[in-house]
Amino acid sequence: MKSKKALECWTVGMKIVLCGVFLSNFPTFQHSLSAQTADSLAIRFSAMTAVTGYEQAMTDSLLALLPTSTRDRIGNVTLTLGRGTPKRLISCSLDEVGYVVGNITDDGYLLLRRVGLSRTNPLFDQQLEGHRVTLFGRRGAVPGVVAVRSTHLTRGRPSPNDPPFSVDNAYVDVGAASRDDVLALGIDILTPVSLTKRPERYGAGLLAAPSTGRRAACAALAAAALSKPRARGSVVVAFTVQGLYADTAGLNAVKALQGPFAESRQVSLPVKFADTAVETVSLRDVDALVSDVVRWIGGGQ
């Protein structure tokens, strides 16, 4: 099956050309599964967006990638390797801190609200200012930019009395001139929003992207499952949703629906520059995690 283009460009506002990734247009992994490597999966997963509570597009791709997998009522994707006892669980959390549209102004700007965590580090929201974002509306992904203060009025020197940029200062421009123009794009209140994902390989096997630590860990788990390791007993492999809520709703649902488990493990990777637009992982660590997961599934320590 041929995949559609993953990148489209538009002109918005004052003739600014923007490019945005269509989440639904990523390859569905139904071809050349044998060609998938941990590195390529880490890059593909890092280009995807799964704001807490809005993970369905990513789980759609996982269902295509893992032919024997299923999705439960809350949205988790799971598959079982092996059979019998002991019954064990290995999981990764798909979701990320992101934003939703909180309001639409009469002149076509969008205001944002953060979802996933109510409190983050003081600089978290500042990475939005002046940057590209992608809005995942009913009619597909729409690119936008977050406005910055006028340099003509501030002369490039913000007043020392001005508070730091926060999500409350984020005005998103999608090239609309009115509320009706915004609605015509398929964008409404609670449409999910994230920084536009542009994974970047650099240095000696490093990968940078927002939330790439979680994405690459899930990629390692998927790569391990695709290698069809021989399991000791039965192992439930789970890609869980809503992990950033206080009750880790997705993981708890897996435990309630498919447990009890004799042992459980949640995979993770060391990251640099956590919770920034350039959160970074080492692809060597991704490969090592794949080997470690395969060993764990087989009963090794």
Side-chain angles (χ1 to χ4, degrees):
M1 178 176 133
K2 293 183 179 179
S3 60
K4 300 177 183 177
K5 289 192 300 180
L7 194 65
E8 295 287 348
C9 297
W10 298 261
T11 302
V12 298
M14 299 295 290
K15 300 295 183 181
I16 301 172
V17 177
L18 294 178
C19 297
V21 176
F22 277 88
L23 201 63
S24 59
N25 285 350
F26 277 101
T28 57
F29 304 105
Q30 291 175 335
H31 62 289
S32 302
L33 291 183
S34 61
Q36 299 295 336
T37 65
D39 286 9
S40 65
L41 286 176
I43 294 168
R44 285 174 181 265
F45 281 27
S46 294
M48 297 183 181
T49 293
V51 174
T52 300
Y54 299 89
E55 303 96 336
Q56 182 175 344
M58 188 167 185
T59 58
D60 286 345
S61 292
L62 280 167
L63 289 170
L65 171 64
L66 304 166
T68 61
S69 61
T70 60
R71 182 163 47 201
D72 63 22
R73 293 191 302 270
I74 198 170
N76 303 301
V77 172
T78 63
L79 71 155
T80 301
L81 303 175
R83 62 178 62 186
T85 58
K87 189 175 186 180
R88 297 176 294 147
L89 169 67
I90 188 164
S91 66
C92 75
S93 182
L94 294 173
D95 56 321
E96 66 194 76
V97 180
Y99 303 88
V100 296
V101 174
N103 201 1
I104 303 170
T105 68
D106 291 338
D107 50 358
Y109 289 100
L110 309 175
L111 307 183
L112 302 181
R113 294 292 179 267
R114 192 187 321 113
V115 294
L117 291 175
S118 59
R119 297 178 64 85
T120 60
N121 70 66
L123 301 179
F124 185 84
D125 293 327
Q126 292 181 33
Q127 62 191 325
L128 283 172
E129 187 175 15
H131 283 273
R132 301 176 182 182
V133 293
T134 305
L135 300 94
F136 300 99
R138 295 187 308 276
R139 299 178 59 186
V142 177
V145 290
V146 177
V148 297
R149 295 183 179 94
S150 169
T151 57
H152 300 289
L153 297 178
T154 63
R155 297 183 180 179
R157 298 188 299 274
S159 166
N161 297 322
D162 289 342
F165 180 93
S166 73
V167 66
D168 295 329
N169 306 126
Y171 281 75
V172 180
D173 184 357
V174 292
S178 67
R179 183 190 304 270
D180 288 341
D181 286 350
V182 172
L183 297 176
L185 292 171
I187 298 170
D188 208 335
I189 304 300
L190 298 184
T191 292
V193 183
S194 78
L195 282 170
T196 297
K197 303 293 179 63
R198 294 172 292 177
E200 181 71 25
R201 290 190 66 165
Y202 72 99
L206 301 177
L207 176 64
S211 304
T212 196
R214 284 174 168 243
R215 291 289 180 276
C218 287
L221 183 56
L226 283 171
S227 72
K228 299 180 180 179
R230 178 173 296 180
R232 179 173 66 90
S234 58
V235 175
V236 174
V237 179
F239 300 86
T240 62
V241 299
Q242 299 180 28
L244 293 174
Y245 289 150
D247 61 352
T248 57
L251 181 59
N252 284 340
V254 172
K255 291 178 178 179
L257 293 170
Q258 302 195 43
F261 297 102
E263 187 180 357
S264 63
R265 175 183 176 183
Q266 191 162 21
V267 298
S268 62
L269 285 166
V271 301
K272 295 181 179 179
F273 319 122
D275 297 327
T276 72
V278 292
E279 183 172 298
T280 296
V281 298
S282 165
L283 293 173
R284 183 177 300 174
D285 288 342
V286 176
D287 290 335
L289 181 57
V290 174
S291 299
D292 185 42
V293 168
V294 168
R295 186 166 51 249
W296 189 89
I297 290 171
Q301 299 300 320

